[in-house]
Amino acid sequence: MSQKIAIIGSGLSGSVLAYYLQKSTSVSLFEKSQGVSGRMSTRSFADFEFDHGAQFFTARSNKFNEFLLPYLEDRTVVEWKPKILTLEKGKDPFKRLWYEPHYIAQPKMTSLCKAIASSKDIKFKTRIDKIFQKNGRWSLVSGDEIVGEGYCWVISATPAIQTRELFNASGISLNGLSEVNYSPCFSLMVGLSSSVQLNFDAALVKNSPIKWIAVNSSKIGRSMNKTLVIHSSNSWAQDNLERELSYVQDQLFSELISLIGLTEVDVDHIDLARWRYAKVSKASNQEVCLNPSLKVAACGDWCLGSRVEDAFLSAIDLYEALTKSLKADD
Ligand SMILES: Cc1cc2nc3c(=O)[nH]c(=O)nc-3n(C[C@H](O)[C@H](O)[C@H](O)COP(=O)(O)OP(=O)(O)OC[C@H]3O[C@@H](n4cnc5c(N)ncnc54)[C@H](O)[C@@H]3O)c2cc1C
């Protein structure tokens, strides 16, 4: 019988790792949210949709480019060529150029992970709080319930801080976790009335609490209702992290109005999300986090950097290291 492996977290790294491991082992995924994708996520409110996490991704390695080929072919992934401006208060906006392809998944940012993780065994709304070993096999605990047992290996594909919490609660130490740091970010989601006209698809903002504005609805495959996704700068988010969300929302919205000249009448919907662990500000100094004697491991963007491609590559690095360990066990 093939080895049983549990993966905690179904963002890109967990989904990619499951995709490869499933070829030779029996994989179960455990995800605390109600869907896959993690920080490559999409939120819906009535008729509005917002890709409020990762905005796009680039592919600089051969491995990621090769992996994306079938998804580019079936148009789950498409190149995004927005009209992109640089905005700064008191200065004329100017057009920016991108010098490498920028990709998005469609019709939503979640679509790539959904395609990768389709037909996988996934338990949603299951937050793993602790793992323990009995007779050489791992069990997974959510709250006070055992939600999975009999696993040879457990892999955490969650942000380093959550991996650290899980392993600490389980009495496990794994090298490479302690030095990782994150910067937070707020995502303001604005649904606009159909009459609003904007002369850009995306904007980088300088010297402002806002660092990025995307006309989300202008991305390929999105619904017709006009939506904006606004990201705060990481430093402004850090300074305002524990403020009331209504305060943060008001501050970012009035900054938006002063930048692009909207009025409150133009807005049909507004909401805010707080990402405590948005962007890795210091990655691990260890490419692969794996303990072959305990049979626990971890992966995620934080192993290598802060981007979608880093999440992919960390899953591939771990897959290659795990394959060697699994062969040695046979
Ligand atoms: C606001 C924002 C903007 C970004 N913009 C870009 C961008 O433009 N380009 C780019 O390349 N990257 C961007 N990123 C970064 C990119 O989203 C990440 O690098 C990538 O998605 C990380 O994937 P991952 O699999 O490593 O982790 P995650 O996507 O964080 O996945 C971890 C998963 O684990 C789950 N989980 C956590 N704890 C538990 C638990 N105890 N039990 C069960 N499940 C658990 C989570 O719910 C989540 O689904 C952005 C991120 C944010 C937040």
Side-chain angles (χ1 to χ4, degrees), residues 8-14 30-33 35-40 52-58 126-129 157-159 162 166 185 187 231 275 277-279 299-302 306-309 311:
I8 303 167
S10 66
L12 186 71
S13 61
F30 296 84
E31 169 56 54
K32 72 174 180 182
S33 313
V36 297
S37 289
R39 279 171 282 159
M40 294 178 77
H52 68 308
Q55 296 296 292
F56 54 76
F57 51 92
T58 48
T126 309
R127 182 200 150 96
I128 303 303
D129 298 310
T158 72
Q162 285 154 344
L166 170 73
C185 178
S187 298
H231 283 166
W275 298 96
Y277 312 122
K279 188 170 190 255
C299 65
D301 57 352
W302 53 269
S306 61
R307 301 180 306 119
V308 165
E309 185 171 18

Side-chain angles (χ1 to χ4, degrees), residues 20-175:
Y20 283 106
L21 281 174
Q22 196 186 247
K23 295 176 182 177
S24 54
T25 63
S26 162
V27 180
S28 305
L29 281 149
F30 296 84
E31 169 56 54
K32 72 174 180 182
S33 313
Q34 50 193 5
V36 297
S37 289
R39 279 171 282 159
M40 294 178 77
S41 54
T42 308
R43 265 200 195 174
S44 305
F45 301 94
D47 295 331
F48 297 110
E49 266 174 4
F50 305 93
D51 301 304
H52 68 308
Q55 296 296 292
F56 54 76
F57 51 92
T58 48
R60 295 171 186 162
S61 62
N62 288 342
K63 284 180 182 172
F64 196 34
N65 273 299
E66 274 165 30
F67 179 80
L68 289 177
L69 278 179
Y71 301 107
L72 282 161
E73 222 156 80
D74 71 11
R75 295 188 56 79
T76 303
V77 172
V78 288
E79 191 178 341
W80 186 37
K81 296 177 179 171
K83 180 182 175 195
I84 178 164
L85 302 179
T86 298
L87 295 180
E88 188 170 2
K89 269 194 252 173
K91 296 196 177 164
D92 287 339
F94 61 90
K95 201 172 167 205
R96 287 181 74 92
L97 296 174
W98 274 345
Y99 295 99
E100 63 182 327
H102 287 58
Y103 298 109
I104 54 171
Q106 66 129 350
K108 303 175 185 187
M109 205 55 169
T110 49
S111 304
L112 177 59
C113 286
K114 277 188 184 157
I116 297 168
S118 70
S119 80
K120 305 277 177 301
D121 168 30
I122 311 181
K123 276 201 174 75
F124 290 114
K125 295 186 190 166
T126 309
R127 182 200 150 96
I128 303 303
D129 298 310
K130 202 175 151 183
I131 60 175
F132 67 89
Q133 218 175 16
K134 199 173 159 192
N135 303 328
R137 291 284 183 268
W138 287 105
S139 297
L140 282 72
V141 180
S142 182
D144 47 19
E145 195 190 337
I146 294 178
V147 289
E149 52 194 348
Y151 295 100
C152 305
W153 278 85
V154 176
I155 290 123
S156 175
T158 72
I161 293 182
Q162 285 154 344
T163 295
R164 211 151 64 202
E165 282 167 8
L166 170 73
F167 285 170
N168 282 348
S170 313
I172 296 165
S173 73
L174 196 62
N175 288 341

Side-chain angles (χ1 to χ4, degrees), residues 73-301:
E73 222 156 80
D74 71 11
R75 295 188 56 79
T76 303
V77 172
V78 288
E79 191 178 341
W80 186 37
K81 296 177 179 171
K83 180 182 175 195
I84 178 164
L85 302 179
T86 298
L87 295 180
E88 188 170 2
K89 269 194 252 173
K91 296 196 177 164
D92 287 339
F94 61 90
K95 201 172 167 205
R96 287 181 74 92
L97 296 174
W98 274 345
Y99 295 99
E100 63 182 327
H102 287 58
Y103 298 109
I104 54 171
Q106 66 129 350
K108 303 175 185 187
M109 205 55 169
T110 49
S111 304
L112 177 59
C113 286
K114 277 188 184 157
I116 297 168
S118 70
S119 80
K120 305 277 177 301
D121 168 30
I122 311 181
K123 276 201 174 75
F124 290 114
K125 295 186 190 166
T126 309
R127 182 200 150 96
I128 303 303
D129 298 310
K130 202 175 151 183
I131 60 175
F132 67 89
Q133 218 175 16
K134 199 173 159 192
N135 303 328
R137 291 284 183 268
W138 287 105
S139 297
L140 282 72
V141 180
S142 182
D144 47 19
E145 195 190 337
I146 294 178
V147 289
E149 52 194 348
Y151 295 100
C152 305
W153 278 85
V154 176
I155 290 123
S156 175
T158 72
I161 293 182
Q162 285 154 344
T163 295
R164 211 151 64 202
E165 282 167 8
L166 170 73
F167 285 170
N168 282 348
S170 313
I172 296 165
S173 73
L174 196 62
N175 288 341
L177 282 168
S178 55
E179 62 267 33
V180 181
N181 275 324
Y182 288 82
S183 298
C185 178
F186 288 103
S187 298
L188 183 69
M189 294 162 270
V190 179
L192 297 174
S193 62
S194 53
S195 56
V196 177
Q197 298 297 327
L198 295 163
N199 67 347
F200 64 91
D201 300 320
L204 269 169
V205 186
K206 285 190 164 173
N207 296 321
S208 162
I210 291 177
K211 75 165 179 203
W212 170 258
I213 304 169
V215 184
N216 201 72
S217 47
S218 73
K219 291 179 174 174
I220 297 164
R222 270 57 185 176
S223 69
M224 295 302 285
N225 290 311
K226 273 205 184 120
T227 50
L228 300 179
V229 169
I230 293 98
H231 283 166
S232 71
S233 76
N234 300 112
S235 59
W236 190 87
Q238 187 64 58
D239 292 343
N240 292 279
L241 193 58
E242 303 307 335
R243 295 260 198 180
E244 290 283 325
L245 292 184
S246 56
Y247 169 88
V248 173
Q249 181 171 306
D250 290 349
Q251 293 292 310
L252 291 177
F253 185 59
S254 49
E255 182 70 6
L256 179 71
I257 286 177
S258 68
L259 281 164
I260 65 169
L262 285 178
T263 68
E264 293 197 10
V265 187
D266 297 326
V267 173
D268 284 347
H269 178 87
I270 186 159
D271 210 335
L272 184 84
R274 174 172 51 199
W275 298 96
R276 283 187 184 278
Y277 312 122
K279 188 170 190 255
V280 176
S281 50
K282 186 169 184 296
S284 167
N285 60 11
Q286 214 155 325
E287 277 178 18
V288 176
C289 288
L290 172 140
N291 182 328
S293 48
L294 274 180
K295 299 193 178 170
V296 292
C299 65
D301 57 352

Side-chain angles (χ1 to χ4, degrees), residues 312-324:
F312 169 82
L313 290 172
S314 82
I316 297 295
D317 287 348
L318 181 57
Y319 171 69
E320 286 167 0
L322 265 174
T323 307
K324 285 186 196 141

